[in-house]
């Protein structure tokens, strides 16, 4: 409870701060609060994941502090929105890319997610991404669009490519997170509110997937194939949530991609929009493979699998609400341009 309270406190401090040192303090509280949650199981892999996480986040925090000090040295401003010095912007972008796990600083993220339990993995993929994205949102007018676009396209490409040959579901979700972050990074310099919208919808869909997998206790593709017997309706909905994460049209996940592509074409960035759309087909492939493994009722190999027992308890109301929202929010899209 203390750790989760500290997590929320750190996130809140970062989001609501105006001064760089306060933002940095929030990021540090966040990092320190999630470390015990990662290494809770005392498994060597969990301890390794916690160590990797600590080292990368400490480096990123030092860079955040360094960039804000450089900016204060040059301009005399400690205000977050007044980040004007180009070198500071560059260092800050790379620091936040390390914190988020954007390519080329993505190597820690799949390893850490693989070493931590599902609930901690959920926190790492959603709550821990909010403070860096909030900092990007606040500094977005002064960031370098070319650098962000390059990082974004690389993230979408590598997130799709490296997820193709994975069998561990947490690693697949880590690479899916990297490619989604690419979509958020490409638009932040042009329409920051769209980035936030994309993040909220991504967080909602990822939460749904993680909670569903936690209910069925599934960690690998091979166990996912036999998990349908536990709660068939939940598995059928997991299929739709995965396709929604992939961004297929009648589902919620299509909404942010649609708006981002529209905004990019308005900004005369049609080649970038085309490229990032084509690269999202890579991640569509592994979502389809996950979806196929979810709904397949007879495993394709000849070895006899024990059928799982049907779980007596139904899925809780949170998963029900989240699943419905992850699948059916697309009709809200005409309302969103009026809000942005």
């Amino acid at each position: 409870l203390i750790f989760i309270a500290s997590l929320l406190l750190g996130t809140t401090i970062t989001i609501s701060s105006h001064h760089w040192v306060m933002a940095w303090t929030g990021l540090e509280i966040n990092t320190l609060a999630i470390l015990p949650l990662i290494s809770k199981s005392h498994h060597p892999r969990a301890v390794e994941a916690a160590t990797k996480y600590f080292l990368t986040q400490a480096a990123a925090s030092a860079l955040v502090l360094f960039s804000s000090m450089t900016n204060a040295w040059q301009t005399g401003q400690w205000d977050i929105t007044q980040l004007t010095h180009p070198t500071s912007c560059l260092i800050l972008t790379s620091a936040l890319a390390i914190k988020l796990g954007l390519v080329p600083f993505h190597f820690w993220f799949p390893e850490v997610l693989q070493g931590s339990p599902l609930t901690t993995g959920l926190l790492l993929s959603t709550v821990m991404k909010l403070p860096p994205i909030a900092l990007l949102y606040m500094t977005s007018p002064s960031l370098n669009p070319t650098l962000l676009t390059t990082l974004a396209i690389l993230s979408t490409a590598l997130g799709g490519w490296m997820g193709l040959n994975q069998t561990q579901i947490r690693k697949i979700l880590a690479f899916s997170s990297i490619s989604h972050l690419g979509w958020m990074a490409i638009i932040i310099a042009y329409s920051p509110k769209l980035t936030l919208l994309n993040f909220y919808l991504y967080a909602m869909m990822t939460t749904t997937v993680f909670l569903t997998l936690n209910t069925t206790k599934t960690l690998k593709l091979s166990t996912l194939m036999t998990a349908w017997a536990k709660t068939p309706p939940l598995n059928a909905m997991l299929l739709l949530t995965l396709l929604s994460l992939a961004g297929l049209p009648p589902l919620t996940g299509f909404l942010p991609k649609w708006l981002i592509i529209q905004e990019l074409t308005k900004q005369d960035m049609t080649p970038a929009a085309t490229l990032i759309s084509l690269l999202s087909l890579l991640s569509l492939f592994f979502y389809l493979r996950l979806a196929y493994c979810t709904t397949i009722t007879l495993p394709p190999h000849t070895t006899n699998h024990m059928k799982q027992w049907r779980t007596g308890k139904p899925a809780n109301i949170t998963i029900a609400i989240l699943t419905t929202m992850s699948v059916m929010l697309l009709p809200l899209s005409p309302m969103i341009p009026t809000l942005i």
Side-chain angles (χ1 to χ4, degrees):
L1 185 66
I2 290 175
F3 293 134
I4 289 179
S6 317
L7 254 181
L8 295 173
L9 173 75
T11 309
T12 317
I13 287 177
T14 305
I15 291 171
S16 55
S17 59
H18 291 288
H19 196 286
W20 272 114
V21 176
M22 280 304 283
W24 174 80
T25 314
L27 290 171
E28 284 300 298
I29 293 174
N30 249 355
T31 304
L32 293 175
I34 197 122
L35 285 173
L37 296 175
I38 298 175
S39 56
K40 196 169 60 174
S41 62
H42 298 299
H43 189 278
R45 181 163 277 178
V47 177
E48 184 193 346
T51 315
K52 282 179 179 168
Y53 186 76
F54 174 71
L55 291 173
T56 47
Q57 299 298 312
S61 292
L63 280 176
V64 167
L65 208 52
F66 179 57
S67 81
S68 54
M69 280 169 63
T70 317
N71 189 60
W73 182 263
Q74 298 289 341
T75 62
Q77 274 289 349
W78 278 101
D79 195 44
I80 293 183
T81 48
Q82 303 291 324
L83 188 79
T84 47
H85 195 252
T87 318
S88 312
C89 294
L90 210 63
I91 299 172
L92 181 82
T93 309
S94 48
L96 293 179
I98 298 173
K99 276 215 167 288
L100 288 168
L102 279 169
V103 173
F105 311 108
H106 63 289
F107 295 102
W108 63 273
F109 189 51
E111 302 292 327
V112 170
L113 214 60
Q114 181 55 35
S116 47
L118 276 172
T119 39
T120 313
L122 164 63
L123 289 174
L124 278 170
S125 314
T126 54
V127 182
M128 300 301 287
K129 302 262 186 256
L130 186 53
I133 283 189
L135 285 178
L136 278 176
Y137 178 81
M138 288 190 272
T139 54
S140 59
S142 48
L143 295 176
N144 181 349
T146 322
L147 175 67
L148 283 168
T149 310
T150 315
L151 289 179
I153 286 174
L154 282 174
S155 297
T156 321
L158 277 162
W161 257 314
M162 295 172 77
L164 291 180
N165 59 352
Q166 301 294 337
T167 55
Q168 296 283 345
I169 295 179
R170 282 170 296 184
K171 276 199 172 174
I172 292 182
L173 286 170
F175 286 119
S176 111
S177 175
I178 291 169
S179 59
H180 273 272
L181 282 168
W183 279 89
M184 292 176 220
I186 199 166
I187 199 68
I188 188 113
Y190 304 106
S191 171
K193 287 208 168 105
L194 268 185
T195 301
L196 285 188
L197 171 77
N198 192 349
F199 176 74
Y200 296 146
L201 292 178
Y202 156 75
M204 184 178 71
M205 295 183 284
T206 309
T207 309
T208 315
V209 173
F210 269 108
L211 290 178
T212 307
L213 294 174
N214 198 31
T215 309
T216 55
K217 298 283 175 280
T218 318
L219 294 174
K220 294 198 294 291
L221 285 180
S222 53
T223 45
L224 188 64
M225 287 183 188
T226 52
W228 62 271
K230 288 183 181 176
T231 45
L234 189 59
N235 253 31
M237 290 311 284
L238 178 60
L239 159 80
L240 287 175
T241 312
L242 286 167
L243 294 180
S244 181
L245 259 177
L248 287 186
L251 307 167
T252 308
F254 179 58
L255 166 61
K257 293 195 169 171
W258 182 18
L259 291 172
I260 286 174
I261 289 171
Q262 185 185 351
E263 183 63 36
L264 285 175
T265 25
K266 274 185 199 163
Q267 301 286 349
D268 282 342
M269 291 178 64
T270 321
T274 315
L275 194 55
I276 202 165
S277 315
L278 286 173
L279 289 171
S280 68
L281 291 176
L282 289 168
S283 39
L284 171 66
F285 181 81
F286 61 74
Y287 288 124
L288 279 176
R289 196 174 61 188
L290 269 176
Y292 174 70
C293 291
T294 308
T295 45
I296 188 172
T297 47
L298 287 173
H301 37 73
T302 49
T303 50
N304 288 327
H305 265 295
M306 289 289 290
K307 288 282 176 283
Q308 306 278 348
W309 282 95
R310 176 106 23 137
T311 43
K313 61 179 198 311
N316 63 16
I317 186 74
T318 322
I319 299 184
I321 294 170
L322 281 171
T323 311
T324 316
M325 286 172 69
S326 304
V327 173
M328 297 185 175
L329 283 189
L330 189 67
L332 288 183
S333 45
M335 199 174 84
I336 285 163
T338 56
L339 298 175
I340 289 178

